[in-house]
Amino acid sequence: MGISTFPLTGVHYTNQVEGIINISSLSIGQSFFSNGQPFQTGNASLQLNSMVDGLFWAQDVALICQESPNTFGIRMVVNFWNLTGPFTIKVNNGTVTSFQGLGVICYLGPNITVKTPFELGLFMTENSSGISFSFSYNGHNRTYYFVPVTGSFQIGGYSKLNLPNDLEFVWGGPGGGSIVPLSMNSSAAILYEQGGKMVLPRETYSIGFDTGESAEGVSVNADLSSVFSPKVNEVSGTDDPKVLWPVPPSISISQKNSTVNVSVSIDGKVIPNQKVEIESGFPLSPIAESVTDSHGIAVFRNISSSLFVVYYPGNFTLSYSYALSSPVLNSVYSSLQSYYHKLLNFLQSEEYSFKKGLTSFFNNGKYVSPPTTVNYLLLEYIAAISLGVIISALLVKLKT
């Protein structure tokens, strides 16, 4: 559960991807494997995963260990997979191994300790030398690993293993294909570089398609109160796979004589300044165009027919959609479908991917508390000062 993007039309190539999350509260239960066998208690993974040219799978992962209700240890981990076979390259740090016939580079990175609420960012950047793995916490960015493999992050199409090339920022168990129950309240976003700036994706889902780990008890919901700046909230609830956006608006039609009023809204809120068309014929062709007013209503005049189709072309988070003026048209235009429904059909058809997903290779990567060092000289100074304060207080008392 989390947020992912996978377009059905076209492919995006980018040199940077990132996931950002603000966590207000988090409770991690006992993870387990799909056969019911218990695994670990209080451990989960937050993964930024992306395919590289459909040939490699890059994972920038935060392994999160709950130490108290609001204190967490986080260890950064890299998994980098070769989907065509074992690796033959050498790396400065980390382990080059193979798993299920695929090459894996596994690196256990730095540790940090955080308290809720906190913001955490995961970043992967590609250049002509290879791919860098980074994270940010409290406004400080740190690059902690580098893999000397070149290629672009590919969003769209299918990988060498026939898995979707999605970009995903998702919660899961602490490795090995495990499942973890979570109770949480957070907001998250994924972005990728396009035209020199980081942008939000136009198609998003509440699940990832590639990783074998998963989480339960997390409900991911879109906040579309600003249609061009959507938000994603992750809260405790039912973990249903869903399309976050684009979603079709509600379209209602009323006609009186030759005047047609079309109302456009989302979640009960009207949407002004939206282009709407009336189409007719077979195949469909536009016969009139209007824009919704401040009440979310587009007015069309001189519409002589009672049989027509209202077409809404959509915008950033709202899917293009159709509405029929009469049930009679259902038999003629039964194939009309919004982009949302096409995404939904894809989501339903991809449920198999939970069984096909790649099992992350960081079962033994755990948060390691930093060693406690004692400055005995400092303690002596503190003790001496404390003793001096006590003696001074006693002298003052004796004088009085």
Side-chain angles (χ1 to χ4, degrees):
M1 301 303 298
I3 179 173
S4 70
T5 180
F6 179 80
L8 298 188
T9 58
V11 175
H12 303 304
Y13 291 95
T14 179
N15 60 15
Q16 184 172 343
V17 295
E18 67 179 73
I20 299 176
I21 191 167
N22 285 278
I23 299 177
S24 301
S25 64
L26 175 63
S27 179
I28 305 173
Q30 182 180 48
S31 60
F32 56 93
F33 296 109
S34 57
N35 62 3
Q37 177 185 350
F39 185 31
Q40 297 178 3
T41 299
N43 293 281
S45 65
L46 179 62
Q47 310 180 17
L48 177 67
N49 302 327
S50 183
M51 291 292 180
V52 179
D53 292 335
L55 301 175
F56 303 95
W57 190 43
Q59 294 186 272
D60 191 0
V61 180
L63 283 180
I64 302 178
C65 172
Q66 184 154 22
E67 299 180 336
S68 73
N70 67 336
T71 303
F72 300 85
I74 299 179
R75 183 162 204 180
M76 302 308 302
V77 177
V78 168
N79 266 188
F80 191 80
W81 296 70
N82 181 2
L83 304 185
T84 62
F87 275 112
T88 58
I89 63 173
K90 294 183 179 180
V91 295
N92 292 330
N93 294 297
T95 302
V96 179
T97 183
S98 60
F99 185 70
Q100 297 177 347
L102 305 179
V104 188
I105 298 172
C106 185
Y107 176 71
L108 302 180
N111 299 276
I112 59 174
T113 301
V114 303
K115 292 181 180 292
T116 53
F118 65 91
E119 180 181 278
L120 181 68
L122 304 179
F123 309 82
M124 294 188 288
T125 306
E126 176 272 333
N127 59 35
S128 57
S129 301
I131 296 174
S132 299
F133 296 78
S134 311
F135 70 96
S136 67
Y137 171 64
N138 276 351
H140 299 286
N141 295 348
R142 178 178 175 183
T143 296
Y144 70 96
Y145 197 62
F146 177 81
V147 173
V149 173
T150 59
S152 298
F153 300 108
Q154 181 180 343
I155 307 172
Y158 287 81
S159 71
K160 188 72 174 179
L161 295 184
N162 202 35
L163 288 171
N165 290 325
D166 73 337
L167 169 63
E168 54 188 35
F169 187 47
V170 293
W171 291 93
S178 55
I179 306 161
V180 65
L182 300 174
S183 176
M184 64 189 307
N185 190 331
S186 67
S187 60
I190 53 172
L191 304 97
Y192 60 90
E193 187 277 332
Q194 187 178 70
K197 61 181 181 180
M198 302 303 291
V199 299
L200 294 169
R202 300 180 69 93
E203 303 95 346
T204 60
Y205 310 85
S206 66
I207 62 169
F209 297 106
D210 292 344
T211 187
E213 288 73 47
S214 60
E216 60 179 24
V218 180
S219 178
V220 183
N221 306 290
D223 178 356
L224 305 181
S225 54
S226 176
V227 293
F228 291 101
S229 301
K231 300 177 182 179
V232 172
N233 298 317
E234 301 173 344
V235 297
S236 300
T238 305
D239 41 275
D240 294 329
K242 66 185 73 166
V243 176
L244 298 174
W245 70 77
V247 295
S250 297
I251 300 175
S252 62
I253 306 170
S254 64
Q255 183 175 14
K256 185 176 181 179
N257 299 324
S258 62
T259 300
V260 175
N261 291 333
V262 176
S263 175
V264 182
S265 63
I266 183 73
D267 294 333
K269 299 178 181 178
V270 299
I271 313 175
N273 304 314
Q274 301 295 303
K275 177 183 174 182
V276 182
E277 294 180 355
I278 285 184
E279 300 184 348
S280 186
F282 192 83
L284 289 171
S285 60
I287 60 172
E289 181 182 301
S290 184
V291 176
T292 57
D293 59 18
S294 59
H295 302 289
I297 297 175
V299 180
F300 298 86
R301 307 188 190 280
N302 302 318
I303 305 298
S304 57
S305 174
S306 61
L307 299 177
F308 54 84
V309 174
V310 171
Y311 170 64
Y312 172 71
N315 57 35
F316 188 79
T317 54
L318 301 180
S319 169
Y320 68 76
S321 188
Y322 295 89
L324 307 178
S325 66
S326 170
V328 176
L329 294 175
N330 283 328
S331 60
V332 181
Y333 297 113
S334 59
S335 62
L336 292 179
Q337 232 184 16
S338 71
Y339 189 46
Y340 163 80
H341 288 99
K342 294 179 181 179
L343 294 172
L344 188 61
N345 291 340
F346 164 78
L347 178 61
Q348 294 169 344
S349 70
E350 286 298 322
E351 289 181 357
Y352 74 91
S353 66
F354 289 111
K355 299 177 182 179
K356 289 181 60 178
L358 292 166
T359 299
S360 299
F361 196 62
F362 43 76
N363 308 45
N364 298 320
K366 297 181 179 179
Y367 171 76
V368 179
S369 300
T372 302
T373 57
V374 180
N375 190 327
Y376 291 102
L377 181 60
L378 180 61
L379 289 178
E380 289 178 7
Y381 277 121
I382 293 173
I385 293 172
S386 300
L387 182 61
V389 171
I390 293 172
I391 293 173
S392 299
L394 288 174
L395 289 175
V396 171
K397 188 173 183 64
L398 287 173
K399 289 180 179 180
T400 59

